[in-house]
Amino acid sequence: PPPPAEPKKHFAFAADEGSFERATERCVGVGACRNTQGGVMCPSYRATGDEQHSTRGRAHLLWEMLAGSLRNEGFQSHAVHEALDLCLSCKACKSECPVQVDMARYKSEFLAQHYKGRLHPLQHYVFGFADRMARYGSHIPGLSNALLTGPLTGSLIKRIAGVAQDRQLPRLAAKSYQSSKLSQMGPAATHAEQTHARPVLLWPDTWNNYYHPHTLAAAESVLAQAGFGVQTPEGHICCGRPLYDFGFLSEARSYLVRVLDRMAPQIDAGMPFIFLEPSCASVFKDELLELIPGDTRAQRLSENVWLLADWLAAQAPDFASGRLEGARVLIHGHCHHKAVFGGPATEISLLRQAGAAVELIQAGCCGMAGPFGFEAGKSEVSKIIASQGLLPAVESAASTALIVADGFSCREQIAQLSSRRAMHFAEVLSHNCGCGG
């Protein structure tokens, strides 16, 4: 009998003529994903040494599901689900694989089809809709933190939500960045009014807005000092990054449509969107164009997405000069930063221009990868990945060295598995690091 037709897909698979099957055929067995040194690909294979957890192994199983021996099982295939379960969605294969197998996208599409018409496990909703959890919790942060981290309630909540017992859930800040902006007029806004500075939009991602608002405040200060007028959306807004990890692709598309509608004036005006969290920025460079293909506004937004360092290097190249004389910096690059934006080379250049001695940590993925490192059953793999490069470098660094990691997940991993605290590039450049100035 002829093979069954592919179900209606969520992603366009534009580079593969709209075919998920053709996408899986990209893999020709080179096996670059089985490297154990250099690059990022493939973290779970490096941790387990098992072929099924390599990009190649997963691609071959997906092909078998779509066109080979697993066709009868289709998207309910246990073998495929098991192989994809330890994929960290780091996106490294998208750039490091010679034929650009994009396993993070394939995993999302598989899970969306796997759970089509039925409920997901509870932990998928908890982790996938983490932005809503943060938003609701931020109304009563003290009580929320007490419940999530208390000796009795914390353990119970972890068990119900599928969180590893040895992980600490992040603590909500007393006040979100957006709330602070509403309660008082910031210096950047005043500066913009006085000088008619070029406006930029600072994106209040869920992680920095609700958990690390000082990072967004630092970025606002840096941008204002560099001569830009900083605007920030009012009210909760989210790219939906965690939704992709669990196949909530219809919901992810709805999140993006809401962003396009709400931000229409800024997008149409060509305003630069400045991001601190690489994983959120990558949504608008990658998933947006695949979930809403051919949309003019989506294309325009994607073209105006910037990470903070890239924007400063392009528009205020001399801003950093001499600001960090004598500082020593150890920097860890986020996986999506490397896969979608070429890595932290611009940050390194600016920090050196500022007078700091900078060293790039020679490590792949941190192992946290959003919800991955928090999930029961995956925490140990997460720790193995972290121990293969990141943790030894962090622990052996001089006590006076500043550890820089832009990813919220990376900073959480470092905080939970080492004795050090990592900072965002924006914090260091704003002199919030306590290193002088």
Side-chain angles (χ1 to χ4, degrees):
E6 286 191 21
K8 183 180 179 182
K9 301 176 300 301
H10 297 269
F11 289 118
F13 292 99
D16 296 289
E17 302 178 7
S19 170
F20 191 4
E21 179 184 333
R22 186 176 292 272
T24 67
E25 291 172 352
R26 282 176 172 267
C27 181
V28 293
V30 173
C33 49
R34 291 169 59 91
N35 290 342
T36 57
Q37 299 294 325
V40 178
M41 181 177 66
C42 174
S44 47
Y45 172 76
R46 293 185 183 188
T48 66
D50 191 333
E51 171 75 9
Q52 75 165 332
H53 298 304
S54 69
T55 303
R56 182 174 72 179
R58 290 172 177 137
H60 285 185
L61 277 169
L62 282 165
W63 182 86
E64 291 288 353
M65 180 194 77
L66 292 167
S69 63
L70 297 175
R71 278 186 302 171
N72 290 337
E73 298 176 31
F75 285 96
Q76 300 310 313
S77 169
H78 173 74
V80 176
H81 189 278
E82 182 182 14
L84 291 173
D85 192 45
L86 289 186
C87 172
L88 285 80
S89 298
C90 68
K91 290 182 177 287
C93 48
K94 179 179 173 65
S95 59
E96 294 181 18
C97 171
V99 289
Q100 297 183 314
V101 170
D102 189 352
M103 195 52 61
R105 181 171 301 163
Y106 304 173
K107 177 184 178 180
S108 291
E109 186 69 51
F110 171 83
L111 290 174
Q113 303 293 344
H114 182 77
Y115 289 106
K116 185 177 181 179
R118 57 198 184 97
L119 290 174
H120 290 241
L122 175 61
Q123 71 184 75
H124 286 201
Y125 296 98
V126 173
F127 288 123
F129 293 93
D131 71 294
R132 298 185 186 180
M133 302 297 176
R135 178 189 182 186
Y136 301 147
S138 70
H139 295 306
I140 43 173
L143 177 59
S144 299
N145 288 334
L147 289 172
L148 292 174
T149 62
L152 297 178
T153 55
S155 178
L156 178 61
I157 288 172
K158 287 179 185 178
R159 189 172 295 110
I160 293 171
V163 176
Q165 289 293 328
D166 60 348
R167 287 294 191 179
Q168 294 84 49
L169 291 169
R171 294 180 62 86
L172 290 158
K175 204 168 193 179
S176 72
Y177 171 75
Q178 285 178 310
S179 296
S180 298
K181 286 282 289 182
L182 284 174
S183 63
Q184 60 180 11
M185 196 64 130
T190 305
H191 180 78
E193 291 173 2
Q194 292 172 348
T195 64
H196 305 289
R198 179 179 179 181
V200 298
L201 187 139
L202 180 60
W203 185 262
D205 65 272
T206 291
W207 321 112
N208 289 306
N209 182 46
Y210 294 110
Y211 296 97
H212 292 176
H214 56 277
T215 304
L216 280 162
E220 178 186 346
S221 174
V222 166
L223 287 166
Q225 291 175 51
F228 302 102
V230 183
Q231 299 181 17
T232 302
E234 294 183 10
H236 181 74
I237 194 166
C238 182
C239 69
R241 163 54 67 196
L243 297 169
Y244 299 90
D245 293 328
F246 303 101
F248 291 115
L249 295 185
S250 295
E251 294 83 355
R253 189 181 189 280
S254 296
Y255 273 51
L256 293 175
V257 168
R258 285 198 290 273
V259 170
L260 294 179
D261 289 343
R262 280 187 58 185
M263 297 290 102
Q266 292 86 350
I267 296 170
D268 293 341
M271 186 178 294
F273 281 55
I274 313 298
F275 287 79
L276 301 188
E277 174 57 48
S279 65
C280 297
S282 71
V283 168
F284 295 104
K285 280 291 186 184
D286 187 3
E287 285 87 357
L288 171 64
L289 302 180
E290 275 284 307
L291 285 179
I292 313 180
D295 185 277
T296 303
R297 188 166 281 157
Q299 184 66 45
R300 190 177 298 128
L301 171 56
S302 182
E303 291 169 356
N304 279 303
V305 166
W306 296 80
L307 292 174
L308 177 62
D310 294 336
W311 174 256
L312 291 174
Q315 302 297 328
D318 299 324
F319 167 73
S321 296
R323 296 172 66 91
L324 296 170
E325 289 293 343
R328 299 176 64 187
V329 175
L330 207 61
I331 188 166
H332 172 71
H334 186 283
C335 290
H336 290 188
H337 195 166
K338 297 171 184 175
V340 181
F341 297 93
T346 304
E347 293 190 349
I348 292 172
S349 177
L350 288 177
L351 290 169
R352 285 175 176 164
Q353 181 186 339
V358 186
E359 180 184 348
L360 176 65
I361 296 175
Q362 298 301 320
C365 182
C366 73
M368 184 64 89
F372 183 92
F374 286 99
E375 293 183 62
K378 298 178 183 177
S379 179
E380 289 308 310
V381 172
S382 170
K383 292 175 183 177
I384 292 171
I385 294 169
S387 70
Q388 290 176 336
L390 176 61
L391 292 182
V394 167
E395 291 288 17
S396 63
S399 60
T400 55
L402 305 171
I403 312 295
V404 173
D406 285 353
F408 177 81
S409 293
C410 306
R411 298 198 297 277
E412 276 296 309
Q413 186 78 309
I414 291 168
Q416 296 202 19
L417 299 184
S418 80
S419 59
R420 303 297 297 273
R421 170 184 173 267
M423 309 168 67
H424 193 282
F425 167 77
E427 294 180 80
V428 177
L429 209 57
S430 73
H431 289 204
N432 288 350
C433 58
C435 58

